[in-house]
Amino acid sequence: MPAFCFLFCVCENFNICYYQLPYYFMVITLIILVLSAVFFMSGKVRSDLVALCALISLLIFQILTPEEALSGFSNSVVIMMVGLFVVGGAIFQTGLAKMISSKILKLAGKSELRLFLLVMLVTSAIGAFVSNTGTVALMLPIVVSLAVSAGMNPSRLLMPLAFASSMGGMMTLIGTPPNLVIQNALTSAGFEPLSFFSFLPVGLICVTIGTLVLMPLTKWFLSKKGKKQEVNASGKSLNQLVKEYGLSSNLFRLRADTSSLLVGKTIIDLDVRRKYGLNILEVRRGDISQNRFLKTITQKLAEPDTVMQEQDVLYVTGEVESVERFAEDYLLEMLDGHTTEEAAKANNSLDFYDIGIAEIVLMPSSNLANRTVKDADLRGKFNVNVLGIRRKKEYILQDLGNEKMHSGDVLLVQGTWQDIARLSKEDADWVVLGQPLNEAAKVTLDYKAPVAAAIMVLMVVMMVFDFIPVAPVTAVMIAGVLMVITGCFRNVEAAYKTINWETIVLFAGMLPMSLALEKTGASEYISNSLVTGLGSYGPIVLMAGIYFTTSLMTMFISNTVTAVLMAPIALQSALQIGVSPVPFLFAVTVAASMCFASPFSTPPNALVMPAGQYTFMDYIKVGLPLQVIMGIVMVFALPLLFPF
């Protein structure tokens, strides 16, 4: 970052003793801030790298101590963001987002406008009682799923989602920290405290203005975001493979009851392939020893030594007549009807929690050519089943054991995701098509959706109700850990992968900037200068100056810190000219919370940045006009709601 290094030359050439002259501390801090903003807006350097360079510059010039510079990484908001990434990932992984989105989608239909309005209204309503960060974490996976289901670009909705969470926070006293800051400023000065819903009219105006302005802006600037990724997607999805090979129409589920003659026998004892011409693909059993709510579904490949137990569900392929005969002989219950037509209509397709499917194509030099599937013994060597063979336009699904394989054949194999991944390393005889492990990551553990929902509700309750003595960051950490230990992720590594570290480093690196501005007196100097210059023009002009000063400051420092710095200035300014401080303080909290022109000004803006594939300039194009229009409306609306 040559630009940051330029500061050293400035100090060296002019012999500036900044440690003796605090004024130069302020100048250097502002230069670092401006340079950071320039690099953020250019988009040519990663945002997290810019934040780290700015942080290092503050350290080198001794504006901040190492402890102060690193305080952002231990900040409760940053820790909360990490936990919320995990919670949001679990909501996705368990399919809970898809379930909730499908219900909302029914209300929206196929109308983009109706879906947009629903997202704005639902998000702002939740944001009135839950922190804007928690609201976005809760709604983000749901909104993404909604957009995909509706055939809409998620980027069109994610930025409005972040903005709506901040707008909703203006409806109640607890909606956003700046509201509590101005409440404290009023009561400390001896004024009557604000009620819980004193903020409601302001919040409703914010949501209305935000919705009206964002509808055209998002359509103009965000509709084309992220479409390139969709085009580049390759390989067949798991559902496409199931449909192509007709697995659902040839698949039957049989359950072993207490009286079943199958209980206690092994797969090899049954010998169903020779006796009935059937193939047992999988044994599905639930862990009945666990609580029903915390149930675990175990998938097992049908290995020769697998012992059948009560309530086991067998996934069997073959002719329906043979399946019926097998079920009758061993007193098994057919779960999906007695005809292939009924079975095809039933929800009896393979699930892919632990076990997956993939295609492999045999190479011309493959040693498997002209050998039967049985002789190849892929089950014994790699622990995978061959479910079907695609030979040009022909699909072979019956009597696979005696079928000879040819070079160029495409085999549909089934096994654990780890075993399928092991196949991809054996590239002498075949090539694995697509990216099975990426497909595995998309598979939802839908049987864990009730668990994820309960944990999510628990987190929200702990964050909303004051009588529960748990800090918001603690609630999020508890929720994140519970998502992992209850099995809402396949493993711990999957949970770590949900965390967007670029966003975390960006936010943690920029938080100490507010401390630097406060230490050097830059914040107070700018604020006092603007307020002093505008005081003689009347209360509306003075309030406008306070509003837009706050709005400018909150683009670079957190809304809470901005409110803390500006609230006493606004209070004293109102008292000096002899008017009520209430509209002035409301101007502070609205301006501090309604910051849309920067991705790092509020956690919600940062949270949606990677998911929406936004750049810094996207926030300028969409957020800055909204921020300016919101300010103009509020300057005239606040005196009407709270007279001077």
Side-chain angles (χ1 to χ4, degrees):
M1 302 287 292
F4 288 104
C5 297
F6 172 75
L7 296 174
F8 296 104
C9 300
V10 173
C11 292
E12 198 62 37
N13 292 337
F14 290 95
N15 297 316
I16 295 175
C17 300
Y18 52 84
Y19 53 85
Q20 295 178 353
L21 300 171
Y23 173 77
Y24 292 106
F25 277 109
M26 183 172 66
V27 173
I28 292 170
T29 302
L30 292 175
I31 291 174
I32 294 172
L33 182 61
V34 171
L35 288 176
S36 300
V38 169
F39 279 106
F40 281 131
M41 289 186 285
S42 70
K44 295 181 179 180
V45 184
R46 282 175 56 116
S47 56
D48 53 345
L49 184 59
V50 175
L52 286 176
C53 287
L55 190 63
I56 292 170
S57 299
L58 293 173
L59 273 170
I60 291 175
F61 286 101
Q62 300 181 10
I63 295 170
L64 296 178
T65 65
E67 291 77 15
E68 291 170 337
L70 297 175
S71 62
F73 292 91
S74 61
N75 187 277
S76 61
V77 175
V78 175
I79 304 299
M80 189 184 299
M81 288 177 67
V82 172
L84 289 170
F85 273 121
V86 175
V87 172
I91 293 172
F92 250 135
Q93 188 65 73
T94 59
L96 181 61
K98 191 174 182 180
M99 294 178 188
I100 299 174
S101 65
S102 62
K103 297 189 181 296
I104 300 176
L105 192 61
K106 289 180 181 177
L107 297 173
K110 294 185 178 181
S111 170
E112 281 194 14
L113 176 61
R114 200 180 302 167
L115 182 58
F116 180 90
L117 292 174
L118 275 172
V119 168
M120 293 292 294
L121 293 175
V122 171
T123 304
S124 57
I126 297 173
F129 302 96
V130 182
S131 72
N132 55 7
T133 308
T135 302
V136 170
L138 175 68
M139 291 294 295
L140 193 149
I142 298 171
V143 170
V144 171
S145 185
L146 269 173
V148 172
S149 302
M152 187 177 177
N153 187 359
S155 300
R156 172 86 191 281
L157 296 176
L158 291 179
M159 193 178 291
L161 166 69
F163 296 169
S165 69
S166 298
M167 297 171 194
M170 291 306 307
M171 293 185 182
T172 63
L173 177 64
I174 64 169
T176 183
N179 290 358
L180 297 172
V181 171
I182 69 165
Q183 170 84 315
N184 181 68
L186 274 176
T187 53
S188 299
F191 291 89
E192 288 290 324
L194 300 168
S195 68
F196 190 85
F197 288 108
S198 294
F199 299 82
L200 184 60
V202 179
L204 291 175
I205 293 174
C206 290
V207 173
T208 303
I209 297 299
T211 303
L212 293 175
V213 174
L214 286 174
M215 276 194 291
L217 288 178
T218 55
K219 192 171 184 178
W220 294 338
F221 298 115
L222 302 181
S223 293
K224 297 181 180 180
K225 298 292 295 183
K227 287 195 172 181
K228 291 182 179 180
Q229 279 194 343
E230 298 174 8
V231 178
N232 296 331
S234 61
K236 300 174 183 176
S237 69
L238 299 176
N239 289 332
Q240 287 174 328
L241 289 175
V242 169
K243 186 177 181 180
E244 181 179 341
Y245 284 84
L247 294 182
S248 295
S249 60
N250 293 280
L251 182 68
F252 298 86
R253 296 185 302 162
L254 306 176
R255 182 166 61 201
D257 294 327
T258 307
S259 59
S260 175
L261 303 178
L262 192 116
V263 177
K265 296 183 181 295
T266 63
I267 297 292
I268 197 169
D269 293 336
L270 299 175
D271 197 16
V272 295
R273 181 170 293 181
R274 185 182 63 82
K275 294 180 180 177
Y276 303 96
L278 304 176
N279 189 22
I280 301 177
L281 301 181
E282 177 186 323
V283 178
R284 185 79 53 83
R285 66 179 50 142
D287 192 344
I288 58 177
S289 66
Q290 294 190 27
N291 184 283
R292 183 175 178 269
F293 183 70
L294 298 175
K295 69 177 181 178
T296 297
I297 294 177
T298 304
Q299 291 181 293
K300 294 181 177 292
L301 283 178
E303 299 177 358
D305 58 349
T306 300
V307 180
M308 298 292 98
Q309 300 178 7
E310 294 179 16
Q311 301 302 312
D312 278 356
V313 177
L314 279 65
Y315 282 64
V316 181
T317 60
E319 299 292 338
V320 62
E321 294 81 7
S322 300
V323 176
E324 289 177 340
R325 189 157 54 92
F326 173 54
E328 185 179 346
D329 292 346
Y330 286 91
L331 304 178
L332 300 171
E333 178 187 359
M334 292 189 67
L335 301 179
D336 303 309
H338 296 268
T339 66
T340 54
E341 289 79 12
E342 290 177 0
K345 293 177 183 177
N347 186 23
N348 64 331
S349 183
L350 288 170
D351 291 316
F352 306 103
Y353 304 135
D354 307 311
I355 297 174
I357 57 177
E359 285 184 313
I360 63 173
V361 59
L362 300 187
M363 303 290 286
S365 59
S366 175
N367 294 321
L368 301 183
N370 298 318
R371 296 175 64 185
T372 65
V373 173
K374 186 177 181 181
D375 292 338
D377 193 24
L378 291 177
R379 161 57 68 85
K381 295 177 181 176
F382 296 97
N383 200 31
V384 296
N385 288 323
V386 179
L387 302 185
I389 299 174
R390 174 161 60 91
R391 184 173 296 155
K392 296 182 179 178
K393 296 183 178 181
E394 180 187 6
Y395 291 87
I396 304 169
L397 302 172
Q398 304 296 336
D399 195 22
L400 290 172
N402 299 318
E403 183 68 30
K404 282 190 176 182
M405 296 176 289
H406 303 160
S407 63
D409 280 356
V410 179
L411 309 183
L412 182 68
V413 297
Q414 177 201 36
T416 65
W417 292 112
Q418 291 79 5
D419 288 330
I420 292 175
R422 194 157 58 94
L423 276 178
S424 62
K425 299 178 182 178
E426 301 285 336
D427 55 1
D429 293 316
W430 55 72
V431 174
V432 178
L433 301 180
Q435 297 179 312
L437 290 182
N438 288 347
E439 289 297 326
K442 299 176 186 176
V443 175
T444 57
L445 307 175
D446 50 12
Y447 64 94
K448 286 291 185 181
V451 181
I455 295 172
M456 184 183 69
V457 171
L458 176 65
M459 181 187 76
V460 171
V461 168
M462 287 191 292
M463 294 175 73
V464 171
F465 296 106
D466 292 333
F467 63 83
I468 301 177
V470 177
V473 64
T474 308
V476 173
M477 290 175 66
I478 292 172
V481 172
L482 286 177
M483 289 292 190
V484 175
I485 64 178
T486 56
C488 294
F489 291 99
R490 297 184 186 280
N491 45 52
V492 179
E493 287 73 21
Y496 278 118
K497 288 180 180 178
T498 63
I499 303 170
N500 187 283
W501 293 107
E502 181 180 353
T503 302
I504 298 300
V505 173
L506 165 65
F507 205 75
M510 289 305 298
L511 276 177
M513 179 62 73
S514 62
L515 182 59
L517 291 172
E518 187 179 358
K519 281 184 67 177
T520 59
S523 300
E524 187 177 356
Y525 175 78
I526 296 170
S527 303
N528 284 334
S529 298
L530 288 173
V531 171
T532 303
L534 297 173
S536 59
Y537 294 98
I540 291 182
V541 176
L542 177 57
M543 190 181 70
I546 290 173
Y547 186 101
F548 287 104
T549 300
T550 306
S551 185
L552 178 64
M553 290 177 61
T554 199
M555 289 178 61
F556 305 103
I557 57 180
S558 74
N559 58 357
T560 306
V561 174
T562 302
V564 170
L565 293 173
M566 290 299 300
I569 296 173
L571 180 69
Q572 291 301 319
S573 300
L575 295 177
Q576 286 176 10
I577 62 173
V579 298
S580 171
V582 174
F584 282 69
L585 289 171
F586 265 94
V588 169
T589 188
V590 174
S593 302
M594 301 297 103
C595 185
F596 311 122
S598 166
F600 53 81
S601 56
T602 63
N605 292 4
L607 278 172
V608 300
M609 189 178 183
Q613 302 175 39
Y614 301 128
T615 63
F616 191 93
M617 285 306 299
D618 290 326
Y619 288 88
I620 297 294
K621 292 176 184 176
V622 177
L624 185 59
L626 175 59
Q627 191 167 326
V628 173
I629 293 171
M630 187 78 74
I632 294 171
V633 172
M634 283 298 165
V635 166
F636 292 101
L638 287 175
L640 297 176
L641 296 172
F642 310 98
F644 293 122

